[in-house]
Amino acid sequence: MAWPEEIANDLPAPRDDEPASLRQDIVDELSDHLGCALNRELHRGYDETKARQNALERFGNPARVAYRLWFDAMKGKIMSRRITLAAVLVVTAICIFMGVVTWQIAQQNRDSNLALLEQNRDANSAILDKLSVLATQQESNKSLDWIPSLDWIPVKFRLVAGEKNGAPVVGFKAHLQHGRQSGDMPTVQTVSDENGMLDFGIVRYGYYTLSLATPWKESCRKEVSVRPGHAVTETIVCPTASGSGDVAFSVDWPDELKDAKLWTLCMIQSAARSVGDLEWNETDNPGKYLLISANGTAFDYARSDPFPSGPYASKPQPEHLTNNMSLKPASKISFGARPWVLSSIRMFAPSESTGADELQLPQLPLAKYYFQNAPKFDLENNPVGPKTGLLVYDPRSHSYKYADAPRINNNFETPKSVDAPLFEVKHGQVNSWKITLPDDLAQHLRQSLAAEKH
């Protein structure tokens, strides 16, 4: 019987991913089963034709059975190829769609930019026409300083020294900047003339910031409102060069700490001085560090290497006293004649082998105290952050922690501290500044020294 030919009739064309022996295995398997079925029918007494017919009726169409077996074996690969093809088609469709969308967006942006450019061109043309009209009117009305306008307003300031009726201030630099920093109204710069006048010409109405800078590096800012149709003419009282004064420093030690031989490192920063109704700040001399020995000698502190290497490497601010610094002893130290603020204090305890004016280096501070309302940046312009109050050294973590900070939701709340002490340096005289330790800092030092004795 030619079973193999009948079995293989409905099989599809061979595929490149089909196992080489798959078809032959299916034909051999079905041929064996059909041969067994035919033999059973022959043993029952049927002739060959009837036996073959009965075997096929019981077994079914061999070609279809062979196709099902072939499809079951190849179904995974066929479906995988179909899914891959479908995914490729979907991705291709998405790419085409995104390309079309991108092209449409580009076209829309191009149209919008062209429309905006045309609007700006029209606006600039209108402004130039209006300025041309104003110039023509000014030529025909030379007796008038300003032709009234709702949009373009003249802005002038008169700078005087010390008081409203003071002498004109010459040589102050000024910037007038629009509040929105819009491109159609650039920043206007000028310098006060021999009459103390700052003439910014005409500007559009709106909110502006006026910045003033003195030749000796003091500056201030003032908000200016330019209203439609109202010329701005204002007198500003400005400071005069303040000079300098010597300052003799000392520490007001509590009785229990007078014999403790503690050293004090102070960060002193310039504060704003009020002249007229403005606050003027120094931009060239933000302040200095001051180191006061246990014997009361003041040292003008300066680090020669702001980024020392090794185990005592630190930020530019003096978290440690190292050999990378210079100490210049001085009974009096010169400061600008203006207000100064004590921002922070660091306390050091020298070893027993050193004298009152000797400090064995390097040294870590016993404690640090940051005053409230002090400047938010140190002398190297590094942000101080929200630190206020007393920080003490924790030898277990090798870091400084707040001495008394209540927990809120497992986070430490920054404690309150004493307001930063303010001191006014007078020109041409010796000023005495006695530094008073905050109560919680003094209490911590007492406890630390008592613990060391025991």
Side-chain angles (χ1 to χ4, degrees):
M1 303 297 293
W3 297 112
E5 290 78 3
E6 295 183 16
I7 293 172
N9 282 341
D10 287 349
L11 290 178
R15 296 168 57 95
D16 56 358
D17 57 348
E18 179 181 314
S21 62
L22 175 62
R23 292 169 181 264
Q24 189 61 45
D25 292 343
I26 292 174
V27 170
D28 293 344
E29 182 70 19
L30 292 181
S31 296
D32 183 63
H33 283 288
L34 286 171
C36 291
L38 179 62
N39 289 333
R40 281 196 301 270
E41 295 298 324
L42 291 173
H43 281 91
R44 289 177 181 174
Y46 296 107
D47 58 21
E48 184 176 349
T49 302
K50 182 62 175 178
R52 176 184 173 84
Q53 182 181 356
N54 291 342
L56 289 175
E57 288 176 355
R58 292 176 180 278
F59 192 82
N61 189 337
R64 291 188 178 181
V65 174
Y67 179 81
R68 277 202 308 271
L69 292 175
W70 178 88
F71 183 77
D72 289 341
M74 294 297 296
K75 180 169 58 177
K77 295 183 178 181
I78 293 173
M79 295 305 295
S80 174
R81 179 167 292 187
R82 290 178 179 176
I83 291 173
T84 302
L85 177 60
V88 170
L89 293 176
V90 171
V91 171
T92 303
I94 292 174
C95 292
I96 294 173
F97 174 76
M98 292 301 295
V100 172
V101 171
T102 303
W103 180 81
Q104 290 178 344
I105 292 174
Q107 286 297 110
Q108 292 176 357
N109 288 339
R110 178 179 175 274
D111 295 341
S112 300
N113 290 336
L114 288 175
L116 183 60
L117 184 62
E118 189 64 29
Q119 291 178 2
N120 288 339
R121 186 181 294 114
D122 294 342
N124 291 336
S125 177
I127 291 173
L128 291 175
D129 292 343
K130 187 171 292 187
L131 288 175
S132 177
V133 171
L134 287 174
T136 303
Q137 291 177 350
Q138 190 169 12
E139 286 295 326
S140 61
N141 298 276
K142 291 186 176 180
S143 59
L144 297 177
D145 291 335
W146 169 59
I147 306 302
S149 168
L150 290 178
D151 292 334
W152 293 91
I153 315 299
V155 176
K156 295 181 181 180
F157 296 95
R158 181 171 178 266
L159 306 185
V160 296
E163 56 184 6
K164 284 287 186 181
N165 298 323
V169 172
V170 181
F172 276 32
K173 295 180 180 179
H175 297 72
L176 187 67
Q177 184 177 39
H178 195 278
R180 294 185 304 171
Q181 298 183 359
S182 56
D184 59 346
M185 193 64 244
T187 300
V188 185
Q189 304 180 22
T190 187
V191 179
S192 59
D193 60 18
E194 65 275 4
N195 297 316
M197 295 301 299
L198 295 173
D199 188 352
F200 293 101
I202 56 174
V203 301
R204 298 195 68 174
Y205 66 87
Y207 294 98
Y208 290 80
T209 299
L210 174 65
S211 301
L212 299 175
T214 70
W216 55 90
K217 307 299 184 183
E218 271 189 295
S219 63
C220 75
R221 296 164 67 92
K222 175 182 175 64
E223 302 302 319
V224 179
S225 175
V226 179
R227 297 182 297 164
H230 291 76
V232 176
T233 303
E234 185 178 341
T235 298
I236 298 177
V237 179
C238 301
T240 57
S242 59
S244 63
D246 291 334
V247 182
F249 289 90
S250 62
V251 179
D252 186 12
W253 295 105
D255 293 339
E256 301 89 337
L257 300 176
K258 287 183 177 179
D259 297 327
K261 296 183 179 180
L262 296 176
W263 286 57
T264 309
L265 178 63
C266 306
M267 184 166 69
I268 299 172
Q269 296 179 267
S270 61
R273 61 166 171 163
S274 297
V275 179
D277 58 353
L278 297 178
E279 299 287 327
W280 295 77
N281 293 279
E282 280 217 34
T283 56
D284 196 43
N285 182 23
K288 61 180 66 182
Y289 293 109
L290 179 75
L291 187 62
I292 303 176
S293 72
N295 202 33
T297 302
F299 294 86
D300 194 354
Y301 173 98
R303 186 187 292 281
S304 58
D305 178 7
F307 297 96
S309 58
Y312 292 96
S314 68
K315 297 179 180 179
Q317 67 181 37
E319 293 295 333
H320 319 105
L321 294 182
T322 75
N323 293 311
N324 298 311
M325 65 183 188
S326 62
L327 298 177
K328 300 176 182 179
S331 58
K332 300 182 291 293
I333 299 176
S334 179
F335 281 80
R338 59 176 301 107
W340 296 85
V341 64
L342 177 60
S343 299
S344 65
I345 297 177
R346 294 169 175 81
M347 305 303 300
F348 298 85
S351 63
E352 292 296 332
S353 61
T354 60
D357 278 339
E358 297 175 356
L359 188 62
Q360 188 176 19
L361 300 176
Q363 281 283 333
L364 288 172
L366 288 174
K368 301 187 288 187
Y369 194 92
Y370 292 89
F371 290 96
Q372 195 163 279
N373 301 327
K376 301 303 182 185
F377 292 85
D378 64 15
L379 301 188
E380 288 78 21
N381 207 33
N382 297 314
V384 176
K387 292 186 289 189
T388 59
L390 175 63
L391 284 84
V392 299
Y393 184 70
D394 182 8
R396 292 173 297 179
S397 62
H398 301 287
S399 62
Y400 289 86
K401 297 182 178 180
Y402 288 113
D404 183 18
R407 281 184 178 271
I408 296 181
N409 297 329
N410 293 324
N411 293 319
F412 282 113
E413 178 188 21
T414 302
K416 300 296 183 182
S417 66
V418 178
D419 284 342
L422 196 67
F423 184 77
E424 182 84 21
V425 176
K426 303 296 183 182
H427 170 63
Q429 65 184 57
V430 177
N431 304 264
S432 298
W433 190 349
K434 179 171 286 190
I435 297 173
T436 302
L437 301 183
D439 292 341
D440 49 350
L441 174 60
Q443 179 65 24
H444 172 72
L445 294 174
R446 293 190 195 97
Q447 294 172 356
S448 299
L449 294 174
E452 289 181 2
K453 291 180 180 180
H454 293 86

